[in-house]
């Protein structure tokens, strides 16, 4: 996915201007919670969630609904598998960088099997026939395993909940993707663009119901999203979510780690 | 020649810690078995109440409520979730909060009766002991949607096993809710009453959904 650099620069500028007020030191409970939330830029982040929801309601949700209405479930499943298969090279690199030869072997095996027997990744035969299930990895998780801290919580429109570590990680994910550097010309650009667009639309479709329910049921959607994102990331980094069924219906994290299962 | 009593003392010194360890291992195994059986029973009771479509809605809700009151450490979890605001709340607010918290818990499930129709529940792959509680893994299956794992955190409260948290997709419900409630209070200038008002409104919405969604 292309990341709009000017938007990011503008956002960072705003970020410096809008910081949450730190609670007074004589209220240790409040200070502890402030640290726990890890969200010094909360007012800015809340504004960014509003921006996101504007775009979401105007564009992403209608498009995702249309996609759901037009593309039947088995075809969407195939699309999910193809997108997941295209992500495996990046997962493989990260398995190796994390020193996980077994998981790297799984990922490599899945890529070979699904690309061939799975007809270019349309069918996840590795999981259904060979019982080798997918897992997700990304550079954000690898950085975490290397001991790099997450930094303050950030909410980025379209991309969703993040932090400097995971944001840098997603840039590295794009850079490490062989398809980013593969060939050139109109056809290749069109394919890369379609893949990026399809990933956004497909991911948003899988999150239509969970996010709608979450927003409806939460007394503070922003705080709930933040808490879920940070907990889920910790579980992903510790590889505690492997084998968890229904991964597509993850509560949040649009964009991060949803593909490749 | 060594004195026999010294040898015995030495042997005792070597064996005793082992015996204590073994004893603890048995206790932990017992804890795990007990917690698993407890969750199995609780889950079956809940599933039976949810799937009993012949009974009137109010009766099913009452059955679910009875199971939850028996199985969940509502006091403890409620206090944990309110966290630092518990001490700032007046005794009247504390009592009202716990009442609303219980109601939220019950309505949260009863407003989803339609959605959970035909749900099946079974114990999952691993049950593990943590520092002061047991995590019991279960699989929740619903018709026409993918099955998912759910972990139940079971602690001893007053000598009885009680649910203190549920964890799905790496997310702990009590941690998420704590963050949510605290944020509501904080954004309303530290007024616990603002949270109570929001909870009341939420319960009304759930009640409306329950009435419209039930068969």
């Amino acid at each position: 996915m292309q990341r709009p650099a000017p938007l990011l620069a503008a956002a960072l500028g705003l970020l410096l201007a809008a910081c949450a007020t730190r609670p007074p030191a004589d209220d240790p409970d409040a200070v502890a919670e402030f640290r726990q939330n890890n969200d010094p830029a909360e007012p800015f982040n809340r504004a960014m969630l509003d921006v996101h929801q504007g775009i979401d309601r105007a564009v992403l949700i209608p498009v995702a609904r249309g996609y759901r209405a037009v593309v039947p479930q088995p075809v969407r499943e195939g699309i999910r598998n193809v997108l997941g298969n295209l992500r495996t090279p990046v997962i493989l690199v990260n398995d190796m960088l994390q020193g996980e030869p077994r998981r790297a072997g799984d990922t490599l095996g899945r890529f070979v099997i699904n690309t061939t027997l799975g007809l270019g990744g349309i069918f996840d035969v590795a999981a259904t026939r060979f019982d080798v299930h997918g897992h997700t990895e990304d550079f954000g998780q690898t950085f975490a395993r290397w001991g790099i801290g997450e930094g303050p919580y950030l909410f980025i429109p379209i991309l969703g909940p993040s932090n400097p570590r995971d944001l840098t990680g997603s840039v590295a994910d794009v850079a490490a993707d062989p398809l980013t550097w593969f060939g050139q010309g109109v056809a290749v650009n069109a394919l890369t663009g379609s893949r990026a667009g399809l990933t956004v639309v497909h991911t948003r479709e899988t999150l239509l119901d969970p996010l709608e329910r979450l927003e409806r049921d939460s007394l503070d959607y922003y705080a709930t999203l933040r808490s879920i994102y940070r907990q889920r990331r910790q579980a992903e980094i510790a590889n505690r979510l492997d084998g968890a069924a229904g991964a597509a219906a993850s509560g949040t994290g649009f964009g991060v780690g949803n593909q490749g299962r | 020649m060594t004195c026999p009593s010294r040898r015995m003392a030495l042997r005792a010194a070597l064996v005793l810690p082992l015996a204590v360890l073994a004893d603890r291992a048995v206790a932990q195994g017992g804890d795990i078995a007990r917690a698993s059986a407890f969750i199995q029973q609780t889950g079956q009771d809940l599933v039976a109440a949810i799937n009993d479509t012949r009974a009137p809605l109010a009766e099913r809700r009452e059955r679910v409520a009875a199971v939850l009151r028996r199985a969940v450490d509502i006091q403890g979890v409620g206090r944990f979730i309110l966290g630092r605001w518990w001490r700032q709340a007046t005794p009247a607010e504390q009592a009202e909060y716990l009442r609303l918290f219980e109601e939220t818990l019950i309505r949260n499930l009863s407003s989803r009766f339609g959605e959970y129709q035909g749900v099946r529940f079974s114990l999952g792959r691993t049950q593990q002991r943590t520092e002061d509680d047991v995590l019991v893994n279960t699989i929740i299956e619903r018709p026409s949607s993918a099955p998912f794992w759910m972990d139940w955190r079971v602690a001893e409260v007053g000598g009885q096993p009680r649910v203190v948290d549920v964890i799905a997709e790496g997310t702990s419900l009590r941690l998420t809710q704590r963050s949510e409630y605290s944020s509501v209070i904080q954004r309303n200038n530290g007024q616990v009453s603002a949270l109570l008002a929001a909870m009341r409104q939420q319960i009304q919405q759930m009640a409306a959904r329950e009435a419209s969604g039930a068969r």
Side-chain angles (χ1 to χ4, degrees), chain A residues 161-186:
Chain A
S162 191
N163 55 52
R165 183 196 66 208
D166 292 346
L167 200 60
T168 312
S170 23
V171 175
D173 286 339
V174 176
D177 196 328
L179 293 176
T180 305
W181 310 104
F182 177 77
Q184 47 188 313
V186 182

Side-chain angles (χ1 to χ4, degrees), chain A residues 29-30 36 40 42 53 57 75 78 89 102 104 127-128 145 157 176 203 247 255:
Chain A
D29 284 347
Q36 178 71 39
E42 183 172 332
Q53 288 195 296
R57 285 186 193 122
V75 179
R102 279 190 92 120
T128 52
R145 290 286 288 271
T203 307

Side-chain angles (χ1 to χ4, degrees), chain A residues 27 29-30 33 37 42 46 213 216-220 222-224 226-228 231-232 235 240-247 249-251, chain B residues 84-85 87-88 108 112 115 125 142 146-149 169-172 175-176 179-184 186-187 195 198-199 202 205 209:
Chain A
D27 190 349
D29 284 347
E33 190 182 60
N37 284 342
E42 183 172 332
R46 282 192 185 263
R213 201 165 301 157
R216 184 194 69 193
D217 292 345
S218 177
L219 298 178
D220 188 329
Y222 174 84
T224 304
R226 179 180 64 197
S227 178
I228 291 177
Q231 290 186 58
R232 264 188 68 90
R240 270 187 280 126
L241 288 184
D242 290 1
S250 61
Chain B
R84 68 183 174 112
W85 303 106
R87 271 175 288 121
Q88 304 203 13
N108 204 356
R112 289 163 200 234
E115 193 184 316
R125 45 197 177 152
R142 284 181 289 166
F148 63 94
W149 302 102
E169 300 262 333
T171 313
S172 140
L175 284 181
T176 308
S179 191
E180 172 190 344
Y181 282 10
S182 182
S183 200
V184 172
Q186 210 168 19
R187 290 171 64 75
L195 173 69
M199 288 171 84
Q202 189 182 38
Q205 285 167 1
R209 272 207 305 280

Side-chain angles (χ1 to χ4, degrees), chain A:
Chain A
M1 203 166 91
Q2 314 282 325
R3 316 250 175 259
L7 191 87
L8 208 78
L12 284 175
L14 255 172
L15 180 67
L16 295 173
C19 277
T21 38
R22 207 187 160 80
D26 60 352
D27 190 349
D29 284 347
V31 173
E33 190 182 60
F34 185 80
R35 288 220 184 96
Q36 178 71 39
N37 284 342
N38 185 35
D39 192 5
E42 183 172 332
F44 164 81
N45 284 331
R46 282 192 185 263
M48 287 301 106
L49 175 62
D50 287 344
V51 171
H52 171 81
Q53 288 195 296
I55 302 170
D56 202 31
R57 285 186 193 122
V59 185
L60 295 182
I61 293 178
V63 172
R65 287 225 175 95
Y67 170 76
R68 175 181 283 184
V70 170
V71 184
Q73 167 60 30
V75 179
R76 293 206 302 271
E77 173 102 24
I79 291 175
R80 186 192 77 157
N81 291 339
V82 168
L83 291 173
N85 195 48
L86 288 175
R87 242 192 75 80
T88 42
V90 175
I91 297 176
L92 178 64
V93 168
N94 282 289
D95 282 334
M96 293 194 291
L97 290 175
Q98 291 180 25
E100 299 268 11
R102 279 190 92 120
R103 289 164 66 86
D106 281 359
T107 306
L108 183 61
R110 283 176 54 79
F111 184 69
V112 171
I113 291 169
N114 284 343
T115 306
T116 53
L117 299 179
L119 307 179
I122 297 173
F123 301 101
D124 189 358
V125 256
T128 52
R129 298 293 288 276
F130 297 88
D131 206 32
V132 181
H133 293 270
H135 59 258
T136 167
E137 286 299 345
D138 52 70
F139 271 92
Q141 294 187 52
T142 300
F143 294 156
R145 290 286 288 271
W146 290 354
I148 297 171
E150 58 189 324
Y153 177 77
L154 288 175
F155 191 97
I156 315 283
I158 318 267
L159 192 60
S162 191
N163 55 52
R165 183 196 66 208
D166 292 346
L167 200 60
T168 312
S170 23
V171 175
D173 286 339
V174 176
D177 196 328
L179 293 176
T180 305
W181 310 104
F182 177 77
Q184 47 188 313
V186 182
V188 172
N189 284 343
L191 277 177
T192 321
S194 317
R195 177 196 172 196
L198 197 57
T199 305
V200 173
V201 175
H202 181 86
T203 307
R204 192 63 190 88
E205 189 276 330
T206 61
L207 294 173
L208 276 176
D209 299 330
L211 284 184
E212 191 184 316
R213 201 165 301 157
L214 199 69
E215 188 175 0
R216 184 194 69 193
D217 292 345
S218 177
L219 298 178
D220 188 329
Y221 184 50
Y222 174 84
T224 304
L225 269 185
R226 179 180 64 197
S227 178
I228 291 177
Y229 176 73
R230 297 191 59 219
Q231 290 186 58
R232 264 188 68 90
R233 267 317 255 177
Q234 275 180 3
E236 279 177 349
I237 290 160
N239 294 340
R240 270 187 280 126
L241 288 184
D242 290 1
S250 61
T252 175
F254 6 92
V256 179
N258 269 296
Q259 302 303 324
R261 283 182 188 257

Side-chain angles (χ1 to χ4, degrees), chain B residues 29-44:
Chain B
D31 277 0
I32 292 175
R34 191 163 174 232
S36 302
F38 163 69
I39 289 302
Q40 173 104 46
Q41 186 60 51
T42 304
Q44 276 169 4

